Amino acid sequence: MPRYRVDIRAMKREEVDWAVQLAAKEGWNPGLSDAECFYRTDPEGFLIGLLDGEPVGCISAVRYPEGFGFMGFYIVLPEHRGKGYSLDLWKVAMDRMQGYNAGGDGVVEMIPKYLSAGFNLAYRNIRYGGSPPSLARNSPDVVQIGPNSDGLHVTFDEVAAYDRRCFPAPRDSFLRCWLNNPSYAVVSDGRLKGYGTIRRCWEGFKIGPLFADDAAVADELFRALCHRTDGEGPVFLDVPEPNAAAVKLAESNGLKKVFETARIYTGPAPDIDLDKVFGVTTFELG
């Protein structure tokens, strides 16, 4: 067995809260209730590094069904950087991803290192943020989903089936938790044409996912989701750069570029309907 400078094990549930708080301190602006849904997705997928029983850093290596994985939360505490602990965490996470097509959203400046580590650059994701104009929820086709449904029902199976077109693997455990956030769908002619979720974050709100058949459906969902903020703070939307209609949606609603990430995979980019992805679910879990 290899020997590491730190002890590395799977996090306990409460330690995922610590990892989310650490991400917030790094300026990544996670959701206030992300930890529970993240942990349910893969309880063994969140790793913590300990030195003499005290945490020095973390990383996630979440396994989904059908051979897909996603990495995130790669953070070492500032006072412990430059000591090799990050490499230890990276090695254990990569070992856990053996046999999986592992994705991630990395810092753009680190692209050469990702490529040298065996990853392939797929495209860039752009985070847009700002205060959109007051947007009314004005479409009769928009219905609320989840536990607070307004009586116009969309089944979980319908949402999960649509999600599967836009995400590389089934993720039912995640979705059953995630849809506790304010979530809406567009239903027209008896068919689900898109859905989206918004959640409160350390700063403002994030929309994600925002999956839709086309720009018109995405706009209807965007309006309904923004309406839930009551103008309380900025709204953020993470957009895949190749989807020009998604970029236009963000910019036409007054959102500005905040930063970019490099979407990378150890294998080929998954075969999903990227033109339906108007908002990435999270940079932490894909």
Side-chain angles (χ1 to χ4, degrees):
M1 293 289 291
R3 298 187 64 180
Y4 298 108
R5 285 161 283 249
V6 291
D7 297 320
I8 300 172
R9 60 163 172 79
M11 293 184 192
K12 301 173 184 176
R13 167 62 186 84
E14 62 272 16
E15 290 170 332
V16 182
D17 289 311
W18 170 80
V20 170
Q21 293 169 10
L22 197 59
K25 291 178 181 178
E26 292 292 314
W28 298 355
N29 196 29
L32 298 182
S33 58
D34 283 359
E36 179 64 23
C37 296
F38 288 0
Y39 184 76
R40 289 190 193 184
T41 305
D42 180 3
E44 300 297 318
F46 298 87
L47 307 173
I48 188 169
L50 301 166
L51 182 65
D52 298 326
E54 295 297 320
V56 298
C58 59
I59 193 170
S60 62
V62 170
R63 293 174 176 174
Y64 290 98
E66 301 182 5
F68 180 66
F70 207 84
M71 299 174 65
F73 283 109
Y74 189 26
I75 309 170
V76 172
L77 294 173
E79 62 270 28
H80 291 294
R81 292 172 185 171
K83 302 176 183 178
Y85 303 146
S86 62
L87 183 59
D88 292 346
L89 288 161
W90 178 261
K91 288 179 177 178
V92 175
M94 289 299 291
D95 284 346
R96 193 165 197 274
M97 291 286 95
Q98 286 295 316
Y100 286 73
N101 184 4
D105 274 297
V107 178
V108 171
E109 292 77 12
M110 296 288 287
I111 289 176
K113 288 193 174 181
Y114 302 140
L115 298 180
S116 66
F119 284 85
N120 304 302
L121 175 64
Y123 50 83
R124 299 188 185 204
N125 286 317
I126 306 171
R127 174 160 295 170
Y128 283 90
S131 298
S134 179
L135 299 173
R137 178 189 168 190
N138 57 6
S139 171
D141 295 334
V142 177
V143 298
Q144 189 170 353
I145 57 179
N148 299 313
S149 171
D150 52 15
L152 299 170
H153 296 293
V154 176
T155 69
F156 175 80
D157 287 346
E158 289 175 305
V159 175
Y162 196 96
D163 187 83
R164 187 66 182 85
R165 299 163 65 184
C166 304
F167 191 80
R171 49 176 180 172
D172 288 7
S173 295
F174 171 82
L175 285 177
R176 289 187 188 280
C177 180
W178 202 249
L179 293 175
N180 287 315
N181 295 301
S183 303
Y184 291 92
V186 168
V187 180
S188 179
D189 300 323
R191 187 172 68 83
L192 179 65
K193 295 189 174 181
Y195 89 96
T197 295
I198 191 167
R199 70 197 195 279
R200 188 179 290 274
C201 296
W202 288 67
E203 178 190 2
F205 300 81
K206 277 186 191 173
I207 293 175
L210 179 57
F211 297 159
D213 280 4
D214 53 43
V217 173
D219 184 68
E220 291 178 4
L221 289 167
F222 184 81
R223 287 173 174 272
L225 294 165
C226 287
H227 188 65
R228 288 298 299 262
T229 70
D230 294 324
E232 291 184 14
V235 172
F236 298 94
L237 181 69
D238 299 331
V239 174
E241 188 177 38
N243 188 339
V247 171
K248 184 177 179 180
L249 174 72
E251 293 180 346
S252 65
N253 281 288
L255 304 185
K256 306 296 184 182
K257 288 184 181 180
V258 177
F259 68 87
E260 300 179 2
T261 68
R263 173 57 63 91
I264 52 177
Y265 298 101
T266 52
D271 184 18
I272 61 171
D273 288 339
L274 195 62
D275 60 339
K276 291 181 170 57
V277 179
F278 285 78
V280 176
T281 307
T282 75
F283 284 161
E284 293 80 17
L285 263 69

